[in-house]
């Protein structure tokens, strides 16, 4: 993993509730996109007038900070675009009241600096893909838009996108089938899971990609894995955010050491990743999380 200093080149509203920030500068030299449409990275936000305080990463990928250091706030975002020839990195920020990243993005101006790390992609359809279904809320919209733009010719594609209001829509390729839903996104119950359950999945090798709020994603994963019994190669379900996240994180942090160790134990087993996640989610739900 590497860290890259990224300087704001441009910041502008993209639609209601979203700000596009373009980063550049010499610090991005050597940054390389994975080319995967939903690749994500961490953004480290600095204290006023200073550089971000970054973690030290050991050979196993574990993060730590020097004694007495105050870690800089960090949030995870997807890469909307990497303009390799110009050395520019584009991130679309969903903005709302409160929140470190949203507050920063609303005030972002040329010359402001953050640090980003090496990106990682998750979208991994079968090589003989003939169709795909993409579902996302506003947080997953930048990744969904990039995936739609990169859709190979001949792949039948449908997207179901849930945003708070029509003013939160963004431009998408004309050649794809898109259904917009309005609501959810912390303003009411999401309809994404219901839309997934109502969808007729075509025959042939396909892929279902779902990104959004954690509870919605758990239900989507349960449907795809345990009800439809699709193999892991046929879907990717990614939780981008958690409704009432501050309270969720408070309750998680309040668990005693033994309970936290029990909760994380599935990730240390020899089971495959999907089985590990099944057990981890079961333990979270047993704790009311």
């Amino acid at each position: 993993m590497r860290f890259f200093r990224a300087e704001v080149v441009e910041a502008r509203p993209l639609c209601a509730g979203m700000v596009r920030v373009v980063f550049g500068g010499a610090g991005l030299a050597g940054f390389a996109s994975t080319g995967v449409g939903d690749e994500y990275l961490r953004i480290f936000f600095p204290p006023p007038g200073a550089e971000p305080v970054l973690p030290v990463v050991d050979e196993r990928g574990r993060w730590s900070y020097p004694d007495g250091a105050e870690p800089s706030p960090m949030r995870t975002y997807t890469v909307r675009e990497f303009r390799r020839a110009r050395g520019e990195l584009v991130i679309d920020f969903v903005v709302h009241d409160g929140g470190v990243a949203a507050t920063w993005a609303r005030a972002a101006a040329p010359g402001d600096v953050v640090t980003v790390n090496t990106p990682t992609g998750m979208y991994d359809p079968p090589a003989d893909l003939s169709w795909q279904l993409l579902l996302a809320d506003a947080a997953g919209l930048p990744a969904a838009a990039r995936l739609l733009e990169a859709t190979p010719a001949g792949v039948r594609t449908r997207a179901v996108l849930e945003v708070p209001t029509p003013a939160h829509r963004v431009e998408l390729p004309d050649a794809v089938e898109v259904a917009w839903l309005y609501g959810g996104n912390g303003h009411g119950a999401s309809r994404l899971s219901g839309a997934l359950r109502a969808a007729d999945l075509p025959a042939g090798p396909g892929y279902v990609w779902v990104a959004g709020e954690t509870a919605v994603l758990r239900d989507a994963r349960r449907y795809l894995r345990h009800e439809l019994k699709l193999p892991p190669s046929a879907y990717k379900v990614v939780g981008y955010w958690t409704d009432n996240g501050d309270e969720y994180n408070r309750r998680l942090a309040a668990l005693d050491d033994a309970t936290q160790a029990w909760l994380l134990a599935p990730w240390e087993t020899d089971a495959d990743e999907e089985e590990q996640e099944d057990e981890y989610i079961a333990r979270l739900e047993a704790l009311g999380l």
Side-chain angles (χ1 to χ4, degrees):
M1 185 191 304
R2 292 181 58 189
F3 296 100
F4 303 87
R5 187 178 188 271
E7 183 175 331
V8 176
V9 174
E10 177 189 0
R12 63 178 177 85
L14 188 63
C15 64
M18 189 173 289
V19 172
R20 171 164 291 179
V21 180
V22 180
F23 297 96
L28 280 176
F31 181 92
S33 169
T34 66
V36 178
D38 67 346
E39 67 181 348
Y40 68 91
L41 47 70
R42 273 87 177 194
I43 303 178
F44 298 83
F45 298 95
E51 296 287 323
V53 176
L54 304 178
V56 175
V57 184
D58 67 17
E59 65 278 359
R60 297 180 61 184
R62 296 176 300 190
W63 294 13
S64 62
Y65 288 87
D67 291 342
E70 181 65 29
S72 290
M74 180 272 292
R75 298 293 185 271
T76 302
Y77 276 85
T78 53
V79 175
R80 180 60 181 86
E81 182 183 1
F82 180 59
R83 302 166 180 168
R84 181 178 178 182
R86 297 164 61 178
E88 291 181 344
L89 174 68
V90 181
I91 306 287
D92 290 346
F93 290 81
V94 174
V95 294
H96 48 78
D97 292 335
V100 170
T103 300
W104 180 90
R106 277 179 162 160
D112 290 347
V113 172
V114 298
T115 297
V116 301
N117 72 341
T118 307
T120 301
M122 292 177 287
Y123 173 84
D124 187 23
D128 56 349
L129 180 71
S130 65
W131 63 267
Q132 62 181 349
L133 173 63
L134 312 179
L135 302 99
D137 62 14
L141 183 55
R146 185 177 173 192
L147 289 170
L148 291 172
E149 290 172 353
T151 297
V155 174
R156 179 183 175 186
T157 298
R158 184 168 189 262
V160 180
L161 306 173
E162 185 173 58
V163 293
T165 71
H168 292 76
R169 290 170 54 157
V170 299
E171 290 188 16
L172 296 171
D174 294 332
V176 297
E177 180 185 352
V178 179
W180 291 95
L181 304 177
Y182 303 112
N185 295 283
H187 301 283
S190 172
R191 292 190 285 158
L192 277 182
S193 184
L196 171 60
R197 289 174 175 272
D200 291 325
L201 303 185
Y207 195 68
V208 180
W209 178 89
V210 196
E213 197 275 327
T214 301
V216 175
L217 272 293
R218 284 185 192 174
D219 184 69
R221 182 178 180 275
R222 185 178 298 114
Y223 174 67
L224 294 168
R225 174 168 168 79
H226 296 290
E227 296 182 39
L228 294 186
K229 300 189 182 303
L230 296 181
S233 59
Y235 65 87
K236 176 62 69 175
V237 177
V238 189
Y240 274 30
W241 62 286
T242 300
D243 195 19
N244 198 13
D246 288 343
E247 174 61 16
Y248 179 92
N249 290 332
R250 185 196 65 78
R251 293 177 59 195
L252 193 62
L255 299 175
D256 60 61
D257 291 346
T259 303
Q260 292 204 27
W262 172 79
L263 176 61
L264 296 175
W267 300 114
E268 303 298 326
T269 69
D270 293 330
D272 69 41
E273 186 175 335
E274 290 295 306
E275 291 174 343
Q276 290 175 333
E277 188 159 356
D278 281 343
E279 181 59 26
Y280 176 66
I281 290 173
R283 294 187 183 200
L284 282 171
E285 292 178 345
L287 295 169
L289 295 168

